[in-house]
Amino acid sequence: MLLGKLQKRFLCTYAAAAANQSRRQWPTVLQVTKTNFTEALQQLEDHVHSSDFISVSLRNTGSYSSSWHRLLPIDTSDTAYFKAKYAADRFQVLQFAVCPISVRSSKLISHPYNFHLFPRDVLNLGMPSYTFSCQPSYLTPMAQEGFDFNACIYDGITYLSREQESLSREKIGNLVPSDYMANSISTPSVADSIFSERIRSRVKNWRKAFNDDSCTKKTEEALIKSLQKLMLGSGEYSSRPCLSIDVCSDRQVQLILEVLGEFNDFVPMIVPAKGGGAQAVRIVLTSSEEDKILFEKELQSQEKEQNKHVRGFREVIDLISTSEKPIIAHNSLNDFSFIYSKFIASLPPTFDKFKSSLLLNFPYVVDVGHLMKEVRRHLYTTPDMEISRGGSDGKTLGLGSNAVRIGEIFAKICSVMKVNPESLGKSKDGGLKSYVNNFDNRRTVSVKDLVFIWGFKKGTSAQLLKKILCNSSFSSHDEEAFSDIRLLDKSCAVVAFSKPGSSECFLKAMHSSGGLLSAASYGTYSKACQMGMWEVDLADALDRAVMLDGHDLSGTHLDDPSEIIWDDDLMIDLDDL
Amino acid sequence: MKLQWLVVRALSRTLTKPSTVSTSRFFSSSPAPSPDFAIKNVTRQNLDPVLADLRFLIKDADFVSIDLEMTGITTAPWRDSFEFDRSDIRYLKIKDSAEKFAVLQFGVCPFRWDSSNGSFIAHPHNFYIFPRQEFPADSHFHDEFLCQATSIDFLAKHHFDFNLCIREGISYLSRAQEEEALRRLHEELADPRSGCSEFGEKPVTRVVDILFSEKMKCRIQEWQKGFSFEERSNDLDKRFQTVFFKTRPALQLNGFTRNQLRLIQLVIEKHFKELVYIHTKGESASANHYIVYADTDIDKNLLMKEVKEDVHKEAILKIKSAVGFRRVIDILCSEQKLIVGHNCFLDIAHIHSKFFGPLPSTALEYVSSIHNYFPYIIDTKILLNANYALQMKMKKGSTSLSKAFALLCTQISPKIEELGLVFNPHVKVDVQVDDMRSSSWNSGAKHEAGYDAFMTGCVFAQACNYLGFDFNLHPPSGNLALDEKLQKHVNLLYLSWINCDIINLTTGQQMAESSLSPSRKFPSSKIVFQNIIIIWGLSSTKLKARDIRECIAKTFGSTSITSVYHLDETAVFVQFSKTEFVSKFLELKERLTRSNSPISVLHHMTKLFESGKVHAANYEIYKEICDSPLSKVMFADQANAVCTTPSSTPNTSIIMDFMAEDVVDSPYAVEARCSK
């Protein structure tokens, strides 16, 4: 919704210019499900490589489940991250729109894709997500817009995060071509050498038998084969003879591999047991040196296919990540919390760790939302013009068109700021430098000057609260003590003090008065977010945090006393609560 | 393909022609044009007409079978039911499931004996329901539900229509939620500020605002003059529309921003004694704003009262309509009919939490609450396992619903097999949907709640036959549940199918199934819960049950361990042969992990704890962990979260009591729990 507004404001001039050239056509969004994923991925690869930047947009199963859980004007980067993390941990991504965009002679060329996702547990390991949350109040408007849930659930592409992929390797029973383990066994015991000797003779016999067999008569072959299979565990693997030897420890695997090192026409593969470890070693007999190389190549490509299958949609993320192109998002903190938690790894406990780890994967992220705020002044100077888009408005653009819009807004901003989008990736010191990877808020008010109060009757207005506080004994000696008071939800309000130190006095006064109202410093709020006390009412969450921590009178609880934005634009409209 | 098309066709029919439904039940013997008509699908589009009909069908029914499709079963793998789960834990696990997951489909199928035809008539209904929030402004009803990926995938494989469910599913309010909504409404009405809108007293300072206010003042004055001279002012401004509000002349305000409306209200309050600013929330979410003329104070008060009453009435209507699907449940309750389900403990728990109120904390309270609402419930799974003749018929195999249906209801079931073996005459079941009736109906959609409910009812009818009912000779009269042949099966539900734990809804007693059906195999060894410890944080792949057993046996003796059982890859239950080993183990664990003495390095058990993240606790802690609203996928994560979160300030006194009673020494268990 907000996006729509932004777009309206931003696209006008841009589109008007474009409309002069030709009637602007929206590119059709390629809808991708598991049936056309492979082809789409190949196409996308080309488009990504030739693009100047890539815009992304996500559709999830929910956003925030209580009014105070969303980003509030009082949130610092840390508390904002905790909120984003809370959402990303629970909700699911249903659609992931990717739009590689290139600018050629001031013309935008965009190739929008809309990937449908569903966390299908193909490996039967409870991954990528065992359960996920849905928010009916979020899904209902999506359904009214015509969102196709069936397409996602029936044909959505599954995925594993990088972390999950390595976890799954430990667990699933794929054949793993063994790398000869370099470290040989230090001191072989008697049992070890007996075992090795037994394996050596068994393998020798088998190979001999096979070689004899192949040159003699081929009658009774079927019978012999089945007997062999039964008695010796021999069979065929990709039309080559093979032998399986059961093992009961990693040590035995190592011993077998050592023995096999003495032969040069064997390729050993390890059959992993469910729950880790090895269950058997499968030895494949190749007919020649060339055949051996051929077979090893076969195995490699097989593994590649398998990996592709396991990673699923994450291939797209890896592609974007390795391309190192600028990524444009509208709500980067939220979107990238989702991207990180679904496709990279579990979200780290702090914002700083998240940011540094994210930057390793996505070195160049631009948030059009933040950018917007910064360049708003420029845009007020541009005249508002209606845009004609061949009679189609936002709703009929089809699913996944948000990424296109974000991309176009960004292109517009670039043109306003006289930044050449083509040079974005190459030189990072363009005009946008200060906006890149900016997940933080602009800072204006120190959180030390904020006090949370609750315990009043639900539905009390901020004005009434202000009156109560003005008449209280505390403020009698300082009329202008607090600059503002705002409701955060129906249960809790925040008071901003204008003089440093007065928040502490206020807190002290509140605690000694013992009235019905409770008060706490920003540290308590921060604690509630950090500890995941996501009660429906903020008042309840703060009560819990106070119980945990005791009253924190000093207000200096924070290690790094941050400042937050105190912006009238972000004033909470109680109608939205 | 053809089948899908049929379903779609029939669905569109039920959606588009809801009004023709109501007469159908009177033509009970109309011939069936085709046995393949679709099931009765119910969405919010046709709820009202269907309900009018269903009310009578239920009233006339001899029993009603039900079935639910949910968005999931277990919120974490370890929340599945284990042999080592005591019955109170089993209840906690079911409670967790019913609280977290949503119901998407609800099958209701009333069965009535038709003497003239010598058959039951079944009326399968398939309700799509969705927990849509009808009070968007109200954050009180925490709207969020979990989906288990595999369950959703399962529904998709059976062609569940998620789009239809989310778009057209019927919403609902539980009784508790309805009461709460009404209570808040009354509270709001008692509040003197309600009715008129409150914009607050923020002073008007901005120049734009002052200008706007002045302009509005003139505009309203003009209007006031205008209507006192002539009825209609020829107003061209679309933003002002002269209308009548409660028989008083009024000016409707359109297309103003919130701030502008606030300014207009301030102007009215300040300068116009005889005008009242009123805003109403219409049927659609958009609000209407009026300036109403009321010349005297008496009239003004009257007006305000009228407006308030309107608001009240509308709010009550809104709550009543938000009750939605619960009206079906209310009919089932008020008719006190025999309810038939298949392995339905979880289903009933869902019904309680969604339509009555929050689930009580203990099984006993829950059971008495349910018994209050549904005095007669029969579980066909219990029935099938309790009767020897039925057991034989089922060939002692699985008692899953589809299998039971295939074996017992051969003439209804599409799989016609072994006709020669059918000795017992079958109970005939005809299906009626609207005016179509068939004796060999097969909608084909298994795992659709409506069809599953139908199958459950059919299985029950056949089972009655085996229990000695002859409906042809003695048509069911009065309450079927009171018949002595069913008496010993009524109100028994499986609390746990694996453990064969049965709970009696009438008495609240729990019993082992062995007392009822001697033929089933039961877990051989008895589980002594106070002999159990739970160990978590084991490094996932290295230690197998065998290793753990070995490890502990070296210290406590080879007979010390009765069994070792993996909860998941991060945790195990260890059952000792004697209770005292529990405390000894915990004590030893504490000592070994605390000190780095040579003894601990050499000790056999050190191997168990080498990862440094290993914790151990007694069985009561396991209960606490299950009781937590959290659901981490891995048990170790869950246990660590529960044991460190201050929210679940664990009831230590209970644990200490337990310790004092059963274990001779030391509070090490408590320490172990809290160690980080």
Side-chain angles (χ1 to χ4, degrees):
Chain A
M1 297 124 270
L2 182 58
L3 190 59
K5 268 189 220 158
L6 295 187
Q7 188 205 9
K8 208 167 178 185
R9 190 174 287 158
F10 276 90
L11 282 187
C12 350
T13 45
Y14 177 76
N20 290 339
Q21 295 163 6
S22 67
R23 267 207 105 102
R24 232 176 84 62
Q25 287 290 308
W26 275 82
T28 29
V29 180
L30 181 63
Q31 305 295 328
V32 189
T33 61
K34 63 180 177 187
T35 47
N36 62 341
F37 178 59
T38 318
E39 304 93 83
L41 184 63
Q42 271 166 7
Q43 259 185 52
L44 179 68
E45 209 167 334
D46 296 338
H47 288 150
V48 162
H49 287 308
S50 61
S51 70
D52 293 320
F53 57 90
I54 303 163
S55 57
V56 295
S57 162
L58 278 63
R59 295 307 293 270
N60 308 325
T61 58
S63 56
Y64 49 86
S65 30
S66 183
S67 54
W68 75 275
H69 294 173
R70 61 185 168 167
L71 189 67
L72 294 176
I74 55 153
D75 278 316
T76 58
S77 317
D78 280 316
T79 56
Y81 171 67
F82 295 137
K83 289 178 174 183
K85 178 177 186 301
Y86 181 56
D89 283 343
R90 290 174 309 143
F91 297 118
Q92 188 57 46
V93 182
L94 288 181
Q95 282 187 356
F96 197 114
V98 178
C99 184
I101 297 177
S102 46
V103 184
R104 298 283 174 272
S105 56
S106 71
K107 232 179 115 181
L108 277 195
I109 304 162
S110 42
H111 299 281
Y113 293 78
N114 189 34
F115 293 89
H116 293 67
L117 307 185
F118 185 72
R120 197 169 291 99
D121 187 4
V122 280
L123 301 173
N124 221 351
L125 290 172
M127 291 198 275
S129 75
Y130 188 80
T131 58
F132 58 89
S133 268
C134 288
Q135 231 180 318
S137 56
Y138 194 79
L139 297 184
T140 308
M142 272 164 83
Q144 280 157 0
E145 258 174 50
F147 190 94
D148 192 347
F149 295 94
N150 286 349
C152 287
I153 299 168
Y154 288 22
D155 296 320
I157 309 151
T158 188
Y159 57 83
L160 284 187
S161 73
R162 289 187 192 159
E163 189 182 50
Q164 286 171 330
E165 188 189 347
S166 55
L167 259 176
S168 77
R169 274 185 202 292
E170 286 174 20
K171 287 180 183 173
I172 48 172
N174 282 328
L175 287 177
V176 186
S178 74
D179 308 317
Y180 288 95
M181 280 170 240
N183 53 330
S184 65
I185 294 158
S186 44
T187 46
S189 67
V190 181
D192 284 346
S193 30
I194 292 174
F195 179 79
S196 297
E197 200 41 55
R198 226 179 55 222
I199 296 297
R200 191 171 291 120
S201 70
R202 188 171 164 191
V203 170
K204 266 186 186 157
N205 279 337
W206 173 64
R207 190 168 68 159
K208 189 156 166 275
F210 202 87
N211 286 342
D212 291 352
D213 243 31
S214 54
C215 42
T216 55
K217 62 204 168 192
K218 283 187 177 175
T219 50
E220 300 164 355
E221 199 177 351
L223 179 69
I224 287 174
K225 260 189 184 165
S226 62
L227 271 176
Q228 276 180 335
K229 201 171 179 182
L230 218 64
M231 308 285 290
L232 300 168
S234 88
E236 267 189 9
Y237 189 85
S238 73
S239 69
R240 290 174 187 88
C242 78
L243 176 72
S244 280
I245 302 173
D246 290 342
V247 292
C248 40
S249 72
D250 285 346
R251 189 167 182 91
Q252 289 187 345
V253 174
Q254 214 160 0
L255 288 170
I256 293 174
L257 293 182
E258 276 198 349
V259 171
L260 292 179
E262 300 159 14
F263 305 89
N264 48 17
D265 44 2
F266 287 135
V267 178
M269 292 187 303
I270 293 165
V271 185
K274 203 147 192 199
Q279 162 190 322
V281 176
R282 185 171 295 171
I283 306 165
V284 180
L285 180 65
T286 54
S287 55
S288 64
E289 196 62 30
E290 292 78 47
D291 188 43
K292 191 177 171 184
I293 292 166
L294 192 73
F295 179 62
E296 277 170 346
K297 270 195 180 144
E298 253 174 58
L299 283 182
Q300 269 169 14
S301 73
Q302 244 177 35
E303 200 195 357
K304 218 174 160 187
E305 267 313 297
Q306 181 72 30
N307 284 345
K308 223 174 199 170
H309 178 67
V310 166
R311 285 177 203 143
F313 173 75
R314 210 196 72 228
E315 294 272 344
V316 173
I317 300 297
D318 287 347
L319 173 63
I320 296 173
S321 168
T322 47
S323 77
E324 300 201 348
K325 302 274 178 184
I327 302 170
I328 320 300
H330 177 246
N331 188 347
S332 61
L333 179 61
N334 275 340
D335 284 357
F336 277 89
S337 302
F338 270 93
I339 291 172
Y340 193 96
S341 91
K342 306 296 173 205
F343 309 118
I344 313 282
S346 331
L347 283 164
T350 65
F351 175 70
D352 289 334
K353 277 188 192 148
F354 165 72
K355 194 172 169 181
S356 59
S357 175
L358 184 73
L359 292 185
L360 292 178
N361 294 293
F362 301 100
Y364 199 104
V365 176
V366 180
D367 187 310
V368 281
H370 284 301
L371 208 50
M372 281 285 308
K373 266 185 242 150
E374 301 302 324
V375 296
R376 193 170 275 164
R377 269 167 294 122
H378 295 262
L379 283 145
Y380 275 157
T381 63
T382 58
D384 261 20
M385 271 186 264
E386 276 309 307
I387 38 167
S388 64
R389 203 179 281 150
S392 68
D393 65 348
K395 288 230 162 133
T396 56
L397 288 176
L399 303 161
S401 55
N402 268 357
V404 186
R405 297 187 205 183
I406 291 169
E408 298 199 345
I409 292 168
F410 177 69
K412 175 65 196 159
I413 295 173
C414 284
S415 80
V416 168
M417 297 183 74
K418 310 268 187 292
V419 172
N420 181 7
E422 286 170 70
S423 65
L424 280 178
K426 288 145 207 155
S427 63
K428 285 185 186 173
D429 40 353
L432 289 175
K433 196 190 176 192
S434 55
Y435 309 112
V436 171
N437 304 328
N438 181 5
F439 302 92
D440 308 285
N441 280 323
R442 194 158 50 90
R443 298 165 169 194
T444 51
V445 174
S446 167
V447 296
K448 282 176 83 175
D449 296 330
L450 297 183
V451 170
F452 293 77
I453 54 169
W454 68 98
F456 47 83
K457 193 168 171 280
K458 270 196 190 181
T460 310
S461 69
Q463 281 77 24
L464 196 62
L465 275 174
K466 194 165 187 172
K467 260 189 205 162
I468 295 170
L469 289 180
C470 283
N471 296 333
S472 72
S473 55
F474 162 71
S475 52
S476 57
H477 38 84
D478 193 352
E479 278 296 311
E480 293 295 304
F482 40 83
S483 56
D484 207 351
I485 177 163
R486 283 175 202 182
L487 286 172
L488 297 175
D489 69 357
K490 284 180 180 169
S491 70
C492 183
V494 64
V495 187
F497 287 87
S498 42
K499 281 184 192 165
S502 49
S503 64
E504 279 98 324
C505 299
F506 178 78
L507 276 173
K508 275 185 193 133
M510 286 294 286
H511 295 310
S512 54
S513 73
L516 287 171
L517 279 187
S518 306
S521 71
Y522 199 87
T524 309
Y525 172 70
S526 184
K527 194 94 196 164
C529 293
Q530 189 187 358
M531 300 291 288
M533 296 163 175
W534 302 111
E535 262 67 8
V536 175
D537 285 337
L538 179 53
D540 297 338
L542 292 174
D543 270 333
R544 262 184 73 188
V546 167
M547 281 221 307
L548 170 72
D549 232 31
H551 274 288
D552 164 37
L553 302 182
S554 60
T556 50
H557 186 91
L558 298 161
D559 307 331
D560 163 37
S562 333
E563 296 184 315
I564 48 121
I565 194 162
W566 195 264
D567 186 348
D568 272 333
D569 283 351
L570 292 174
M571 172 102 170
I572 304 157
D573 190 339
L574 270 179
D575 273 3
D576 297 343
L577 293 184
Chain B
M1 227 43 255
K2 187 192 167 208
L3 188 83
Q4 263 184 333
W5 179 79
L6 277 168
V7 173
V8 170
R9 188 195 56 171
L11 182 62
S12 62
R13 188 175 49 75
T14 49
L15 288 178
T16 49
K17 292 202 308 180
S19 56
T20 58
V21 172
S22 52
T23 52
S24 60
R25 70 196 171 86
F26 300 110
F27 303 101
S28 53
S29 56
S30 60
S34 145
D36 279 344
F37 48 84
I39 198 163
K40 182 93 187 163
N41 281 303
V42 191
T43 64
R44 58 178 172 169
Q45 300 288 340
N46 61 343
L47 176 67
D48 285 333
V50 167
L51 216 54
D53 229 28
L54 186 63
R55 189 181 299 276
F56 290 103
L57 293 175
I58 290 176
K59 214 186 241 322
D60 294 346
D62 294 304
F63 64 91
V64 182
S65 58
I66 56 161
D67 186 78
L68 279 63
E69 293 297 334
M70 288 82 93
T71 58
I73 305 293
T74 53
T75 55
W78 58 269
R79 290 245 190 218
D80 213 337
S81 129
F82 296 129
E83 238 178 78
F84 276 106
D85 287 344
R86 204 165 53 196
S87 57
D88 52 346
I89 288 185
R90 183 66 199 136
Y91 172 71
L92 289 178
K93 286 184 170 181
I94 286 184
K95 177 169 172 275
D96 173 74
S97 175
E99 282 168 348
K100 305 266 176 63
F101 294 112
V103 174
L104 295 184
Q105 234 178 24
F106 200 115
V108 177
C109 186
F111 280 72
R112 179 175 67 87
W113 182 255
D114 179 6
S115 298
S116 63
N117 217 23
S119 72
F120 273 108
I121 308 172
H123 303 269
H125 287 71
N126 193 38
F127 289 88
Y128 281 86
I129 63 180
F130 188 69
R132 195 179 302 102
Q133 221 182 6
E134 300 288 350
F135 302 100
D138 195 342
S139 64
H140 190 74
F141 303 129
H142 193 58
D143 84 319
E144 211 174 296
F145 63 86
L146 273 188
C147 293
Q148 193 179 345
T150 47
S151 295
I152 298 294
D153 206 23
F154 174 85
L155 287 174
K157 285 203 178 90
H158 291 94
H159 304 289
F160 186 90
D161 190 341
F162 295 94
N163 287 341
L164 181 68
C165 188
I166 298 170
R167 273 176 218 161
E168 300 298 339
I170 307 156
S171 62
Y172 55 81
L173 283 186
S174 74
R175 291 187 181 192
Q177 284 170 327
E178 187 192 1
E179 276 162 27
E180 172 68 11
L182 288 172
R183 191 188 62 75
R184 282 141 131 318
L185 180 64
H186 289 304
E187 214 176 71
E188 242 168 65
L189 283 172
D191 193 334
R193 286 175 302 161
S194 73
C196 52
S197 78
E198 157 110 8
F199 282 122
E201 309 104 62
K202 201 174 164 189
V204 183
T205 49
R206 292 201 314 187
V207 181
V208 198
D209 290 352
I210 294 169
L211 285 176
F212 179 81
S213 298
E214 271 316 301
K215 206 172 125 197
M216 285 302 117
K217 192 175 142 191
C218 298
R219 187 68 192 73
I220 294 162
Q221 269 169 348
E222 217 171 86
W223 172 76
Q224 206 183 351
K225 268 183 216 151
F227 85 74
S228 32
F229 291 121
E230 49 181 289
E231 275 290 295
R232 285 183 155 278
S233 67
N234 44 351
D235 223 327
L236 292 174
D237 194 344
K238 274 183 193 162
R239 298 189 301 171
F240 297 96
Q241 207 176 351
T242 305
V243 292
F244 280 92
F245 187 85
K246 306 260 170 221
T247 70
R248 293 169 186 87
L251 203 53
Q252 188 175 351
L253 307 171
N254 303 316
F256 288 99
T257 65
R258 237 179 92 79
N259 185 44
Q260 288 172 335
L261 288 170
R262 181 182 77 97
L263 295 169
I264 295 174
Q265 189 187 4
L266 287 176
V267 167
I268 300 281
E269 277 166 10
K270 215 169 166 186
H271 304 286
F272 299 93
K273 288 259 175 293
E274 59 282 18
L275 294 182
V276 187
Y277 183 91
I278 282 171
H279 91 132
T280 58
K281 279 218 165 125
E283 288 260 313
S284 54
S286 67
N288 288 319
H289 300 264
Y290 300 96
I291 298 168
V292 186
Y293 179 76
D295 52 355
T296 62
D297 275 356
I298 302 167
D299 192 35
K300 229 176 181 174
N301 288 338
L302 196 68
L303 175 68
M304 292 313 290
K305 210 181 136 198
E306 281 173 48
V307 169
K308 234 177 182 180
E309 272 165 11
D310 275 7
V311 169
H312 189 191
K313 265 186 214 152
E314 199 173 323
I316 286 181
L317 274 180
K318 213 173 157 192
I319 292 171
K320 291 288 168 210
S321 88
V323 163
F325 177 76
R326 204 199 75 219
R327 286 150 74 197
V328 176
I329 304 296
D330 285 346
I331 297 171
L332 288 177
C333 287
S334 64
E335 292 299 331
Q336 307 247 308
K337 291 288 173 184
L338 171 62
I339 305 289
V340 179
H342 189 83
N343 203 8
C344 61
F345 192 86
L346 180 62
D347 291 3
I348 303 283
H350 268 288
I351 293 176
H352 193 290
S353 93
K354 307 284 182 296
F355 308 120
F356 300 141
L359 287 166
S361 53
T362 67
L364 203 62
E365 292 168 78
Y366 163 72
V367 156
S368 84
S369 172
I370 275 295
H371 190 59
N372 227 2
Y373 293 117
F374 296 122
Y376 315 104
I377 299 176
I378 279 194
D379 191 319
T380 44
K381 196 162 178 105
I382 296 243
L383 216 52
L384 292 177
N385 283 299
N387 182 278
Y388 186 70
L390 282 169
Q391 279 277 296
M392 292 313 289
K393 181 70 190 170
M394 295 296 297
K395 303 186 185 85
K396 293 194 171 183
S398 112
T399 43
S400 75
L401 178 59
S402 50
K403 178 121 185 288
F405 185 68
L407 285 172
L408 292 177
C409 314
T410 37
Q411 94 283 34
I412 314 167
S413 153
K415 287 184 205 158
I416 298 172
E417 47 181 334
E418 300 159 290
L419 282 170
L421 285 173
V422 180
F423 294 118
N424 274 45
H426 280 91
V427 179
K428 272 174 69 186
V429 179
D430 287 4
V431 173
Q432 192 175 331
V433 175
D434 296 339
D435 49 359
M436 287 176 291
R437 182 164 167 169
S438 162
S439 53
S440 59
W441 180 72
N442 173 32
S443 91
K446 256 182 217 167
H447 299 294
E448 182 179 64
Y451 189 71
D452 280 6
F454 164 70
M455 291 203 294
T456 306
C458 290
V459 167
F460 174 68
Q462 302 305 333
C464 282
N465 198 24
Y466 282 89
L467 291 174
F469 281 91
D470 189 335
F471 295 116
N472 279 315
L473 285 179
H474 308 286
S477 60
N479 197 333
L480 203 59
L482 296 177
D483 192 292
E484 58 172 332
K485 291 186 222 64
L486 277 178
Q487 264 300 290
K488 63 174 182 175
H489 305 293
V490 168
N491 287 340
L492 298 182
L493 295 183
Y494 279 116
L495 188 53
S496 155
W497 163 245
I498 307 182
N499 291 0
C500 318
D501 261 347
I502 290 179
I503 191 157
N504 187 327
L505 297 181
T506 326
T507 61
Q509 277 174 342
Q510 288 161 25
M511 54 186 119
E513 194 181 17
S514 44
S515 57
L516 288 166
S517 53
S519 53
R520 228 185 114 195
K521 252 179 143 186
F522 299 102
S524 47
S525 60
K526 196 168 172 340
I527 295 163
V528 186
F529 296 105
Q530 65 211 36
N531 290 3
I532 292 176
I533 53 158
I534 183 155
I535 308 176
W536 70 86
L538 301 164
S539 56
S540 59
T541 49
K542 277 186 195 158
L543 284 173
K544 303 220 157 56
R546 199 178 45 195
D547 305 329
I548 294 165
R549 183 189 278 266
E550 233 168 62
C551 218
I552 298 174
K554 274 181 191 160
T555 315
F556 289 92
S558 55
T559 56
S560 61
I561 292 182
T562 317
S563 47
V564 176
Y565 183 88
H566 269 279
L567 244 113
D568 67 5
E569 59 199 69
T570 65
V572 287
F573 286 116
V574 175
Q575 187 181 198
F576 289 104
S577 54
K578 288 180 197 157
T579 309
E580 65 204 56
F581 287 135
V582 169
S583 55
K584 279 191 179 157
F585 177 88
L586 294 174
E587 191 184 336
L588 184 61
K589 193 247 156 196
E590 194 59 20
R591 227 173 35 220
L592 289 177
T593 45
R594 194 176 285 165
S595 67
N596 263 330
S597 66
I599 301 161
S600 73
V601 174
L602 290 173
H603 201 280
H604 303 299
M605 291 227 306
T606 307
K607 187 179 163 195
L608 266 183
F609 310 128
E610 73 196 343
S611 75
K613 291 173 192 155
V614 177
H615 300 268
N618 63 27
Y619 200 78
E620 294 309 305
I621 304 295
Y622 175 53
K623 182 180 175 184
E624 226 172 79
I625 291 165
C626 291
D627 199 15
S628 160
L630 290 174
S631 264
K632 306 273 184 193
V633 175
M634 292 296 162
F635 184 83
D637 296 336
Q638 170 84 7
N640 290 336
V642 170
C643 294
T644 52
T645 313
S647 67
S648 59
T649 36
N651 197 340
T652 34
S653 67
I654 292 176
I655 302 157
M656 295 307 286
D657 284 352
F658 168 80
M659 301 290 297
E661 205 176 289
D662 302 303
V663 182
V664 205
D665 50 11
S666 82
Y668 278 119
V670 181
E671 277 189 49
R673 173 173 53 78
C674 298
S675 61
K676 282 170 192 170

